[in-house]
Amino acid sequence: MGTVDLLLVGLVILFGLGGVLVPGVPGSWLVWAAVMWWALKDPQPVAWAVLVGATVALFLSQVVRWALPPRRLRASGATPRMGVYAGIGAFAGFFLVPVLGAIPGFMGGIYLYERLRLGRHGEARAALRTAMRSGGSSVLAELFTCLLITGAWLGAVIWG
């Protein structure tokens, strides 16, 4: 697979990661479709292993999301800007503390947004709890799964 194709796959994966944070956009399916495209264009055993792993991870993510409360982020006062802060925090956390850093990064992004908006620690912490209870945990589960898939794809491309 050429460099241009890999860049296009990476771009679709980035769009998918952003789509996880936007309601109504099938972000996780964009990530999966990009990995499938890569596996079909570069039929190596590692590519197929990443595709199978991505499929299993997305299936488990959907099962977890069905078990969590439904998304009611708008009712809790969540804004698109909060989603941007949470997404940037998760992305940065994923690379600063490999893989598991996405979880505190996501929550840290929401906390930072609320702290800047509200100005006080106690109010920002309460707003973070409200956001996580009203659907933030569902978004986090889907985003974390997509970040895991992205990490597996990056690892396979770089080292495979």
Side-chain angles (χ1 to χ4, degrees):
M1 182 172 239
T3 305
V4 173
D5 289 334
L6 286 174
L7 287 174
L8 287 174
V9 169
L11 187 63
V12 172
I13 288 174
L14 282 177
F15 281 140
L17 287 172
V20 169
L21 301 170
V22 178
V25 177
S28 56
W29 298 111
L30 281 173
V31 171
W32 181 82
V35 170
M36 185 181 71
W37 177 29
W38 168 70
L40 291 174
K41 294 276 285 182
D42 189 18
Q44 301 289 329
V46 70
W48 288 104
V50 170
L51 178 62
V52 168
T55 303
V56 169
L58 280 176
F59 175 74
L60 291 175
S61 169
Q62 294 300 315
V63 169
V64 167
R65 284 186 56 220
W66 287 326
L68 293 172
R71 290 185 186 183
R72 292 190 193 110
L73 288 172
R74 290 281 179 199
S76 72
T79 63
R81 186 171 292 202
M82 180 195 295
V84 170
Y85 274 78
I88 290 172
F91 192 73
F94 185 79
F95 288 105
L96 290 175
V97 179
V99 182
L100 294 178
I103 296 168
F106 181 85
M107 294 172 65
I110 293 174
Y111 174 81
L112 177 64
Y113 171 77
E114 293 295 345
R115 180 70 188 252
L116 292 173
R117 185 174 70 90
L118 299 171
R120 300 185 66 193
H121 168 70
E123 293 173 359
R125 201 171 75 189
L128 170 63
R129 271 188 305 223
T130 302
M132 292 304 288
R133 286 181 184 148
S134 63
S137 54
S138 176
V139 174
L140 176 60
E142 186 176 359
L143 182 62
F144 185 71
T145 303
C146 289
L147 283 170
L148 283 176
I149 293 167
T150 302
W153 175 77
L154 273 175
V157 167
I158 292 172
W159 291 294

